[in-house]
Amino acid sequence: MLPHVTERELLGAAKPALRIHDDAALNAEAAPAMLDHELTPEHAFFVRNNGSLPPRADPAAWRLCVDGEVERVLELSLPELQAQFEIVSIRAVLECAGNGRAGFIIPTDGLQWSLGAVGCAEWTGVRMADVLAAAGVRRNAMYVAHHSPDRATAGAAGPALSRGVPIAKALAPETLLAFGMNGEPLSFLHGSPLRVVAPGYPGSAWQKWLERISVLDVEHDGMKMTGTDYRLPRSPVALGGSWAEIPFDVITDMPIRAMITSPAPGFVAPANSALPVRGFAWGGHTPPARVEISADGGANWVEAFLDAEQDGAPFAWRRFHAHMAPREPGSLELVARATDLRGRSQPLGSAPWNPRGYCNNGVQRVRGSIENGR
Ligand SMILES: Nc1nc2c(c(=O)[nH]1)N[C@H]1C(S)=C(S)[C@@H](COP(=O)(O)O)O[C@H]1N2
Ligand SMILES: [Mo]
């Protein structure tokens, strides 16, 4: 980074339309209406950082190190990684576990994300499984830990984030070490030279600026892995109650969600004509089965058309659309509700409250009005 360009200027130049959150770290989200593309363009793709951006890697010096419970420690430059392993591309949704947090009626700590901490991109890289196979994973391997050079705050010694995934997910064919996004080289803001792609997992497992993978025989306890960080209570927490006695589990799956990308909030549509409603639906590891739309705040529902799963893209979001037919002039509330293949639907209110405000997949409500034709 040029010394006179601040992190915020970098973000503003790359993504001028995003809403930047008031936070020491760089965090910004899109309005759902900006996300009306099968593949989210870079300029609309949210950014989430737990600390300050790392220094830019020197491509000649950069190496990925693989160590821990392996037969051979690996050190690979980017050209070596690209030459030694099959290069694959996968379309997948990247969603922050905190997306929708602002929808909890009892507020929680954490960035007050509305619904734009999500995007769907085509990620290009090598399979983490292939790299781990080259290192020779030992039988006692249980987890992989990801390490990056970004620090909690500028000048701090501790990492901003060091998370990982269970060994089964590390070896799953969809889990990549990516250096490309939407056909372009991965940008610095999204984690170049290399980031983890862990489809179905919350964004926190998609480590950016990856420089070391350590294979462990225990669950990783790195920065933001323990306590209530990116974890959900195993049993419900009473609103305002204590959770000191409740165990918390790492979030390993994202819930089903539908997002209306059109019309945008505040829309005005004519009475007695079709009102097209469209957007995208996705689940973590369980794809959507159906999307329903209501034009009266959730009293009556119609089935939306939901695009079929594209070949080889179970982790991509899927287009839905419906034509509503509002007759009476006045204000109106559109609601979209997705149900996944295991029959789990989005709650009409919000998801079970949890102290850090994760995984709130309560339905989105888009208010507008219907007017008599002029
Ligand atoms: N090194 C590093 N990787 C990281 C983070 C971080 O703070 N540092 N944030 C994670 C979180 S919480 C999310 S939601 C995604 C966001 O990815 P993006 O900024 O490319 O949209 O990055 C993940 N990877
Ligand atoms: Mo996140």
Side-chain angles (χ1 to χ4, degrees):
M1 203 187 307
L2 298 172
H4 60 277
V5 178
T6 66
E7 292 186 352
R8 246 145 254 256
E9 285 163 349
L10 178 72
L11 179 74
K15 299 166 185 278
L18 294 197
R19 176 161 74 93
I20 300 183
H21 283 271
D22 181 22
D23 189 66
L26 205 57
N27 288 287
E29 70 178 302
M34 293 170 59
L35 298 174
D36 194 31
H37 309 268
E38 307 282 330
L39 293 181
T40 308
E42 160 99 30
H43 64 80
F45 212 103
F46 82 103
V47 175
R48 198 281 186 259
N49 292 295
N50 287 266
S52 43
L53 304 181
R56 283 196 193 227
D58 167 5
W62 183 89
R63 296 287 182 279
L64 172 71
C65 175
V66 182
D67 63 13
E69 300 296 328
V70 292
E71 300 302 334
R72 296 164 285 286
V73 170
L74 299 182
E75 287 213 7
L76 296 158
S77 68
L78 196 57
E80 284 168 342
L81 197 81
Q82 292 166 332
Q84 290 176 25
F85 304 98
E86 187 188 351
I87 296 177
V88 292
S89 292
I90 182 172
R91 293 181 171 213
V93 169
L94 163 54
E95 182 175 21
C96 182
N99 196 29
R101 179 180 286 132
F104 279 115
I105 290 164
I106 308 269
T108 70
D109 282 356
L111 288 166
Q112 294 305 303
W113 296 114
S114 181
L115 293 168
V118 64
C120 182
E122 182 169 84
W123 308 96
T124 299
V126 298
R127 292 184 199 94
M128 193 188 283
D130 293 348
V131 177
L132 291 177
V137 174
R138 295 207 177 117
R139 292 177 64 118
N140 58 345
M142 194 211 151
Y143 224 85
V144 292
H146 308 146
H147 298 280
S148 303
D150 55 327
R151 292 292 162 251
T153 48
L161 180 102
S162 174
R163 290 181 45 88
V165 293
I167 194 70
K169 184 67 179 178
L171 298 177
E174 70 272 12
T175 303
L176 304 187
L177 303 175
F179 42 77
M181 178 179 175
N182 291 343
E184 303 281 337
L186 188 67
S187 67
F188 177 61
L189 280 173
H190 291 296
S192 71
L194 198 67
R195 85 171 302 164
V196 173
V197 165
Y201 268 61
S204 50
W206 297 49
Q207 189 94 14
K208 297 189 278 190
W209 310 296
L210 182 73
E211 52 181 27
R212 184 158 76 94
I213 302 175
S214 229
V215 180
L216 306 181
D217 60 3
V218 289
E219 185 175 275
H220 182 42
D221 64 354
M223 183 61 129
K224 304 259 164 133
M225 277 298 290
T226 58
T228 58
D229 283 334
Y230 298 108
R231 286 173 181 252
L232 286 174
R234 200 172 294 168
S235 51
V237 173
L239 272 182
S242 160
W243 55 84
E245 306 299 319
I246 300 176
F248 278 66
D249 296 315
V250 176
I251 302 167
T252 56
D253 196 17
M254 290 300 287
I256 184 75
R257 197 194 285 281
M259 172 178 64
I260 297 172
T261 54
S262 180
F267 67 89
V268 179
N272 291 309
S273 41
L275 169 61
V277 178
R278 66 172 188 271
F280 293 103
W282 66 94
H285 294 86
T286 314
R290 60 192 293 223
V291 175
E292 299 154 283
I293 311 287
S294 169
D296 55 11
N300 295 285
W301 298 89
V302 303
E303 192 83 20
F305 293 95
L306 177 64
D307 280 1
E309 187 174 302
Q310 291 171 38
D311 272 353
F315 297 101
W317 62 23
R318 276 157 58 191
R319 173 68 82 186
F320 69 80
H321 64 98
H323 279 94
M324 309 308 285
R327 262 177 249 138
E328 303 299 321
S331 65
L332 154 162
E333 188 178 70
L334 294 170
V335 194
R337 174 174 64 186
T339 301
D340 73 13
L341 281 172
R342 287 167 56 190
R344 297 173 298 186
S345 294
Q346 291 180 260
L348 291 181
S350 55
W353 188 85
N354 61 87
R356 301 294 293 279
Y358 297 127
C359 295
N360 182 12
N361 66 336
V363 293
Q364 175 193 9
R365 294 170 184 274
V366 178
R367 293 180 188 87
S369 56
I370 303 301
E371 290 185 352
N372 277 319
R374 263 164 266 160

